[in-house]
Amino acid sequence: MTGGMVMGVLGGTVKGGVLELLTVFILSIFVGFEVISRVPTLLHTPLMSGTNAVHGVILVASIVVLAGAQTTTLQVLGFAAVLLATLNVVGGFVVTDRMLEMFKSKKKAAPAPADSGSGGSKPAAS
Amino acid sequence: MTLGTIDLATGVNIAYLVAFVCFILALKGLSSPKSARRGNIIGAVGMFIAVGMTFVDGPVHNVALIVIAIAIGVVVGIPAARLVKMTAMPQMVAAFNGVGGGAAALADIADFVHHGGTIATWLQVCTIFAVIVGCVSFSGSVIAFAKLQEVMTGRPITYPGQQVVNALVGLGIVGLAAAVLGISSVPVLSVMGGLAVLFGVAFALPIGGADMPVVISLLNSFTGLAVAATGFVFDSIPLIVGGTLVGASGTLLTRMMSQAMGRSLTNILFGAFGSVVAGEGGGAAGEQRPVKSAGPEDIGTLLAYSSKVVIVPGYGLAVAQAQHTVKELADALEKKGVEVAYAIHPVAGRMPGHMNVLLAEADVPYEQLKEMEEANSELPSTDVVLVVGANDVVNPAARDSPGSPIYGMPIIDVDRAASVIFMKRSMRPGFAGIDNELFYDPKTTMLFGDAKDSLAKLVTAVKAA
């Protein structure tokens, strides 16, 4: 019964067959190429960081694992996965946002004081 | 009517559909500086929806554990992302990529453990793929992080028989993968994952720090593919869409980055094995040779009385946090009627576009940022080129000496300007560890010291001139 229930969780997302999943997969490849090929060089770094955040969607699978975990082993694995995936999602989006922030406002948000504070402890000048 | 249950499932699927559209719009938004930030926020919203649906779609146990794990991730992740310096961005991206790969591997191992390995063969193939690729991405990213953070040397690490060792580890992984398919054993899958972690390390070690951005980009697309494969295992379309989008875009970006360096991906990944001898030869030639150096006052005067100055910013500028000071210098020069432009190499900084981000932070107007080709056509009519903390991207060896490890990489032809000023901390060679002939050229003047200090002194000198 428990197995069936967890199967329900795992398979409950989409009741599609293999072919349906493959279709989505193939179409996503084309969309990915198409959308990306228009990105200008100066946005390549934010792009890398932004796509990095998107693969944080692995958090979905990680939660599914932990939500269905009934042994300590699975709980440990699931917990670690959720933790790592959350870092991926949160870090990815926040870092990207910080980079893009710079392109937007021309206001002097000058993070220089904070930077020089931490930079002082690790002097670049030798 | 059974609409109640159908409605929930349909609702969840519609929500996922919205999430996919968000992911696609996010990537699309990144096509222009104006829409990029909004695009990123749309992506975050899509992620929120996708993750939220996991709580609606089916029974959820261990809620407390889930909440704690997410809370720890948020509490650690946000400050880490907020406080990291812009210069350290590449390694931060590497770190966040690595944890994603690790999460994918763990989720797949957990699924395999849960079913005791009794899943359809093609799902086993997906599981094996995701575990291998996720583990390689994880450990490869850790090494990339360590190299860029300079926790370990940025130089390629090679040792005799390395290729044999790597090949053996690779063969071991293939063998264990076959064994997993044959006997569906959880321990075998775990050992295979362990070997894949080892392989990620072995794969990243011989790659020099300067090439790491390409590796991070490649590993980013790897993680995407691992996530997509996990999507098949979990029968989850959000994972397939998200992972595949990243896999496709990452592949494209990786190719663009290698092109910007004028090298093939194969050369970047495996080039160290061939270039060890050339690298050592370069090192041996680095004995004391006379260079011309001058103080900031002289150089300030030279700059103030030029009509056209091109600044070539490199990673050294970023390390010294000198982007604001360089902007001050440009302003001071413009007040004197000097035409100022910045020549941006595609891989200046440590990732394509990294330097653009840093200069945007200092409010440098876009119009002054010249891409490499445009800058190269202007350099012959330039009086003074000021190279701030860049080396490899202006090294004529990349153009002229076929034996050099960086031969073939497109460079900014600073040697075509009337005079060249290198601002450097010391005579130490650049990130790639290659000596630069241009240092010894009669038209070159060195200005030694911390980039920020020297620039500040130049600002004073220019104002006084």
Side-chain angles (χ1 to χ4, degrees), chain B residues 23-352:
Chain B
F23 291 163
I24 295 167
L25 287 179
L27 299 188
K28 201 171 155 60
L30 285 163
S31 349
S32 119
K34 283 195 189 98
S35 61
R37 199 171 177 203
R38 198 181 55 215
N40 186 51
I41 290 167
I42 293 175
V45 170
M47 188 62 69
F48 192 80
I49 295 174
V51 171
M53 282 308 110
T54 55
F55 290 96
V56 181
D57 190 19
V60 177
H61 298 276
N62 301 320
V63 176
L65 282 178
I66 296 176
V67 170
I68 292 171
I70 292 180
I72 296 177
V74 169
V75 167
V76 174
I78 290 186
R82 277 267 148 230
L83 298 179
V84 63
K85 286 192 264 176
M86 287 313 281
T87 45
M89 236 20 133
Q91 51 266 49
M92 212 61 209
V93 174
F96 290 135
N97 175 57
V99 292
L106 289 176
D108 283 286
I109 292 175
D111 181 72
F112 201 74
V113 170
H114 174 76
H115 292 102
T118 54
I119 49 176
T121 310
W122 76 278
L123 288 180
Q124 290 196 351
V125 173
C126 288
T127 303
I128 290 167
F129 177 84
V131 171
I132 294 175
V133 175
C135 287
V136 168
S137 184
F138 173 75
S139 58
S141 299
V142 169
I143 298 296
F145 177 88
K147 286 202 174 196
L148 289 173
Q149 190 70 29
E150 286 167 23
V151 177
M152 61 187 287
T153 173
R155 291 202 165 213
I157 297 174
T158 50
Y159 54 87
Q162 189 169 18
Q163 279 162 301
V164 178
V165 173
N166 291 2
L168 283 178
V169 175
L171 278 177
I173 293 173
V174 173
L176 289 176
V180 173
L181 278 178
I183 59 173
S184 303
S185 153
V186 172
V188 175
L189 183 77
S190 309
V191 175
M192 185 197 74
L195 268 191
V197 168
L198 199 64
F199 189 77
V201 173
F203 153 87
L205 278 181
I207 301 169
D211 289 336
M212 268 309 154
V214 180
V215 175
I216 297 172
S217 175
L218 184 72
L219 294 176
N220 187 40
S221 65
F222 274 12
T223 306
L225 293 175
V227 170
T230 311
F232 284 103
V233 176
F234 284 78
D235 194 12
S236 167
I237 292 192
L239 293 189
I240 297 180
V241 174
T244 312
L245 283 176
V246 178
S249 70
T251 308
L252 208 60
L253 183 60
T254 310
R255 212 172 58 191
M256 288 193 274
M257 287 167 80
S258 348
Q259 272 166 359
M261 302 175 98
R263 296 165 59 186
S264 70
L265 188 56
T266 328
N267 181 269
I268 287 173
L269 297 182
F270 307 108
F273 298 116
S275 71
V276 175
V277 182
E280 282 167 359
E287 86 278 2
Q288 292 296 314
R289 281 203 278 163
V291 294
K292 191 170 73 182
S293 74
E297 296 78 18
D298 295 342
I299 292 172
T301 314
L302 173 68
L303 290 171
Y305 288 95
S306 323
S307 60
K308 189 169 171 186
V309 171
V310 171
I311 299 171
V312 181
Y315 187 70
L317 172 119
V319 169
Q321 295 287 321
Q323 60 269 41
H324 296 277
T325 323
V326 84
K327 164 82 161 82
E328 260 180 69
L329 177 64
D331 289 346
L333 285 171
E334 284 182 320
K335 277 212 188 85
K336 296 269 175 190
V338 181
E339 186 188 338
V340 182
Y342 298 81
I344 312 289
H345 191 274
V347 294
R350 287 199 179 161
M351 297 211 281

Side-chain angles (χ1 to χ4, degrees), chain A residues 7 10 13-14 18 36 40 43 45 51-52 55 57 66-67 69 74-75 88 90 93 97-98 102-103 111 115 124, chain B residues 13 16 30-31 37 40 57 61-62 78 81-82 84 97 100 110 122 220 234-235 239 246 249 352 361 366 425:
Chain A
M7 275 306 283
L10 297 184
T13 331
V14 176
V18 180
I36 291 312
L43 285 172
T45 296
T51 54
N52 179 35
H55 68 51
V57 72
L66 187 49
L74 286 177
Q75 281 175 336
N88 186 177
V90 172
F93 282 115
D97 188 62
R98 264 191 68 198
M102 316 249 158
F103 288 100
D115 279 354
Chain B
N13 282 340
Y16 280 137
L30 285 163
S31 349
R37 199 171 177 203
N40 186 51
D57 190 19
H61 298 276
N62 301 320
I78 290 186
R82 277 267 148 230
V84 63
N97 175 57
W122 76 278
N220 187 40
F234 284 78
D235 194 12
L239 293 189
V246 178
S249 70
E361 186 190 13
Y366 297 139
R425 271 188 279 157

